[in-house]
């Protein structure tokens, strides 16, 4: 693919990015409730890749479906676009919430972020310990070095409420049992989610709407970069630290260029430059409504954001059912 030195024009590319997430959501929406996670994911991948290759960019997938030997399409390192535009990094999850889609559960999204080349952490496919809060708080109010109890006490004080006035979003997994117990022991409340921690972190940026003040827990590192891109657009703070279960995972991190395996990344370490972010609803959720049929038409809602201006657009798209 030809390399160019054209400037990254987030304004010009933003609508094209919305079309990419829309296409993935529409394709996977046809399999909502089917029970077939793989088919729903593949439909989203195919549609997203087709649309990406129509954009005038010289794009590289830095957060994708997996390593090249694990994913036939939208793999890490794959070049996408026409090659006639600016060099860009792309982080994507064609279907964030494959299980949610297959079971017709809330908050499945098609998600993509784009920034200048070199703007996003090349996160390996390992776990990341994540902590996020919304905008309007002093920088560094809560940190990963604090205990969950300390974070909740500090957040409650910042909000001017008792600890019972703090709502924490946590991914429902056996590994989080002790975390859940500690949070509840403080008197704080918990919103448990079964999948989709990108959406879970985004919820903190709209606490007045969602009721969620904080996100805690471990999940995929690639999804952490996508969530950081969203928070960079919406405001809010995030910290992440890679977690390794074995030497193979440490090797993946070293292969990805990670030198300090214990580093705590802030939001702006995960995404270093201005980016654009698009998410289209597949199933209904707190961020956007899901794809829905209206007679002969299919409708979607997309949230489209630019960190440079802080603009947030909600786009409604309607097309004839194919």
């Amino acid at each position: 693919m030809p390399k160019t030195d054209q400037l990254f024009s987030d304004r010009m590319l933003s609508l094209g990015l919305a079309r990419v997430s829309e296409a993935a959501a529409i394709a996977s929406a046809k399999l909502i409730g089917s029970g077939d996670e793989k088919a729903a994911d593949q439909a989203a991948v195919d549609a997203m890749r087709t649309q990406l290759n129509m954009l005038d960019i010289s794009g590289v997938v830095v957060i994708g479906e997996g390593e090249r030997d694990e994913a036939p399409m939208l793999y890490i390192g794959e070049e996408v676009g026409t090659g006639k535009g600016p060099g860009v990094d792309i982080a994507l999850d064609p279907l964030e919430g494959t299980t949610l889609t297959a079971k017709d559960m809330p908050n499945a999204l098609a998600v993509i972020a784009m920034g200048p080349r070199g703007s996003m952490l090349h996160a390996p496919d390992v776990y990341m310990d994540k902590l996020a809060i919304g905008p309007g708080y002093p920088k560094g109010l809560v940190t990963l070095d604090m205990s969950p109890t300390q974070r909740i006490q500090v957040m409650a004080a910042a909000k001017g409420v008792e600890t019972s006035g703090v709502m924490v979003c946590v991914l429902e997994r056996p590994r989080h049992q002790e975390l859940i117990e500690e949070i509840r022991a403080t008197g704080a409340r918990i919103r448990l989610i079964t999948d989709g921690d990108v959406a879970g972190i985004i919820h903190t940026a709209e606490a007045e709407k969602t009721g969620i003040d904080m996100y805690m827990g471990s999940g995929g590192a690639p999804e952490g970069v996508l969530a950081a891109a969203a928070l960079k657009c919406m405001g809010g703070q995030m910290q992440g630290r890679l977690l390794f279960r074995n030497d193979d995972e440490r090797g993946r991190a070293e292969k990805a260029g990670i030198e300090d395996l214990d580093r705590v990344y802030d939001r702006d370490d995960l995404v270093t430059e201005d980016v654009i972010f698009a998410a289209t609803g597949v199933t209904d959720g707190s961020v956007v409504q899901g794809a829905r049929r209206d007679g002969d038409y299919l409708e979607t809602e997309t949230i489209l954001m630019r960190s440079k201006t802080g603009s947030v657009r909600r786009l409604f798209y309607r097309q004839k059912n194919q």
Side-chain angles (χ1 to χ4, degrees):
M1 177 180 290
K3 299 293 185 266
T4 77
D5 58 2
Q6 294 183 43
L7 292 176
F8 173 69
S9 175
D10 61 336
R11 185 171 181 271
M12 297 298 290
L13 289 168
S14 59
L15 188 56
L17 201 71
R19 289 193 181 102
V20 172
S21 62
E22 282 172 357
I26 289 168
S28 56
K30 295 171 183 175
L31 291 151
I32 291 173
S34 68
D36 194 336
E37 297 179 18
K38 289 184 178 180
D41 187 53
Q42 190 62 56
V45 169
D46 291 344
M48 183 170 276
R49 185 172 186 259
T50 297
Q51 285 293 320
L52 272 173
N53 282 329
M54 294 180 184
L55 295 182
D56 283 332
I57 56 172
S58 180
V60 174
V61 176
V62 298
I63 300 292
E65 289 290 279
E67 303 291 340
R68 183 170 188 167
D69 58 353
E70 298 173 358
M73 285 190 282
L74 297 181
Y75 56 83
I76 297 168
E78 182 173 357
E79 297 182 337
V80 293
T82 64
K84 297 177 182 177
V88 298
D89 278 357
I90 296 168
L92 53 84
D93 193 340
L95 184 55
E96 209 241 345
T98 54
T99 301
L100 300 176
T101 303
K103 295 183 177 180
D104 194 7
M105 296 171 67
N107 286 315
L109 299 169
V111 184
I112 187 166
M114 182 187 295
R117 186 68 54 82
S119 59
M120 299 181 196
L121 178 73
H122 293 214
D125 190 12
V126 300
Y127 281 127
M128 176 184 281
D129 192 13
K130 305 172 191 179
L131 173 64
I133 60 174
Y137 295 103
K139 186 174 175 60
L141 179 72
V142 294
T143 70
L144 284 175
D145 291 330
M146 293 178 177
S147 69
T149 299
Q150 290 172 320
R151 297 169 195 163
I152 289 164
Q153 290 171 341
V154 168
M155 173 59 78
K159 286 186 67 180
V161 299
E162 299 295 324
T163 53
S164 60
V166 175
M167 176 76 83
V168 184
C169 184
V170 179
L171 195 60
E172 189 173 17
R173 295 290 186 272
R175 65 178 181 271
H176 288 150
Q177 192 55 44
E178 288 185 10
L179 172 64
I180 291 167
E181 290 173 1
E182 181 173 349
I183 292 170
R184 286 195 169 134
T186 69
R189 293 166 296 130
I190 297 176
R191 175 86 55 83
L192 288 172
I193 56 174
T194 58
D195 289 279
D197 67 353
V198 174
I201 291 173
I202 290 174
H203 288 156
T204 65
E206 297 184 313
E208 290 184 4
K209 176 182 175 183
T210 65
I212 294 172
D213 301 297
M214 188 183 307
Y215 181 93
M216 288 192 220
S218 61
E223 289 82 358
V225 176
L226 272 166
L231 286 191
K232 196 172 182 79
C233 296
M234 303 176 81
Q237 301 177 39
M238 179 175 172
Q239 288 196 334
R241 178 165 44 209
L242 299 177
L243 301 173
F244 305 101
R245 294 172 295 183
N246 51 51
D247 289 339
D248 175 64
E249 292 189 349
R250 293 183 186 88
R252 286 188 187 187
E254 290 166 357
K255 182 181 175 183
I258 307 293
E259 295 180 357
D260 182 357
L261 301 185
D262 298 316
R263 179 177 176 179
V264 174
Y265 296 90
D266 284 326
R267 183 198 71 185
D268 293 342
D269 297 323
L270 296 169
V271 180
T272 60
E273 298 186 50
D274 281 317
V275 294
I276 48 180
F277 177 94
T280 303
V282 178
T283 59
D284 278 338
S286 305
V287 179
V288 286
Q289 68 182 31
R292 62 186 63 206
R293 287 180 173 81
D294 180 11
D296 293 333
Y297 292 88
L298 186 70
E299 298 178 342
T300 61
E301 182 185 9
T302 298
I303 186 169
L304 176 64
M305 304 184 287
R306 297 165 59 207
S307 66
K308 186 175 183 178
T309 60
S311 64
V312 178
R313 286 183 170 87
R314 291 185 180 272
L315 308 176
F316 292 89
Y317 176 68
R318 180 177 169 94
Q319 73 167 37
K320 273 249 184 187
N321 275 324
Q322 302 297 318

